[in-house]
Amino acid sequence: FAAAVKTDIQDSSVYGVIAGGAELGMTSSDDYLNKDKAANREAYLNYVAANFELLGNPSDQAMSGAHTVLEMETRLAGSSLTPVEMADPNKLFTAMTMEELESLLSNFDLQTYLEAIGLPAVGKVTVFDRKKLAELNRVLKDYSLADIKILLRWSVLRQLKKALSPVFDASGMAYLNARYGKIEQLPRSEQVTLLVPTLFGHPLSQLYVDEYFTG
């Protein structure tokens, strides 16, 4: 789950709070649900387990954790909007009050979360993929705290992998090769270069304009 201040979906002249469920580890819901994508799921299991081993888990515990991740993410994938539905902004975004969002996420301490990140706990909020959030709320009730910690651990690791040491690269390349065939890994210097416009797009654009534009 994440919430942030973005341009309001219905009125681009103002900013508002938008909230939604985090992205899943695989490319699409189809990877989790389609019986013909079993090879992708197997590659993903090995990928998650390999990373947990790098974090210090024994191999059997790492694979058990990977199965927990896949099971929980599969539930969330099953409740997510389809690609066709996501193309419809009326289905993708739902305007509600913070009180309504708190009710939707009854198993999540929304007040504490918003306070921790410095956002108001009152007013309106735009919710991204409401169905997925409703399922997340059920997942929080159905799984143990230990299982939820495993999923959160994987989520944090996955988001920070590009900033970790090269020892984490091999598992990522093995996963990509299993899914897409042989892929050549870019040198570390090129990987860093590609990250710069992603993380610092606006200041980089200013430098570009100063260099190449006049007036």
Side-chain angles (χ1 to χ4, degrees), residues 11-186:
D11 183 359
S12 61
S13 67
V14 299
Y15 288 94
V17 176
I18 185 168
E23 294 181 358
L24 301 175
M26 285 197 279
T27 308
S28 71
S29 296
D30 195 51
D31 287 311
Y32 294 90
L33 305 172
N34 190 328
K35 64 179 182 180
D36 296 327
K37 299 292 183 70
N40 287 355
R41 291 189 286 276
E42 185 67 23
Y44 186 62
L45 273 175
N46 293 330
Y47 172 48
V48 178
N51 279 275
F52 281 162
E53 283 195 60
L54 288 173
L55 293 180
N57 290 150
S59 58
D60 58 340
Q61 184 180 346
M63 182 55 72
S64 174
H67 277 281
T68 297
V69 168
L70 180 61
E71 182 180 310
M72 296 174 77
E73 287 189 348
T74 299
R75 277 194 53 172
L76 295 173
S79 67
S80 300
L81 295 173
T82 66
V84 173
E85 290 173 328
M86 291 185 74
D88 183 349
N90 292 320
K91 293 182 178 179
L92 185 59
F93 300 106
T94 304
M96 59 178 64
T97 65
M98 282 294 182
E99 290 77 11
E100 290 171 329
L101 178 59
E102 193 170 19
S103 177
L104 181 67
L105 291 173
S106 58
N107 298 311
F108 180 71
D109 191 344
L110 184 65
Q111 295 283 335
T112 298
Y113 172 81
L114 293 173
E115 181 180 345
I117 64 174
L119 288 181
V122 295
K124 69 174 186 175
V125 58
T126 300
V127 172
F128 180 90
D129 197 344
R130 178 175 181 166
K131 283 176 58 181
K132 187 177 177 182
L133 274 191
E135 182 61 23
L136 173 62
N137 191 55
R138 289 187 284 269
V139 164
L140 290 173
K141 180 180 180 181
D142 294 344
Y143 285 84
S144 68
L145 180 59
D147 286 342
I148 293 168
K149 285 181 177 181
I150 290 172
L151 182 63
L152 287 173
R153 192 180 192 212
W154 170 239
S155 179
V156 171
L157 173 62
R158 183 166 52 81
Q159 293 177 58
L160 296 180
K161 270 179 64 66
K162 290 182 179 180
L164 299 178
S165 69
V167 72
F168 285 87
D169 291 345
S171 61
M173 291 307 299
Y175 172 59
L176 292 176
N177 288 336
R179 284 194 57 129
Y180 306 113
K182 184 63 176 177
I183 297 175
E184 294 296 329
Q185 184 172 12
L186 293 174

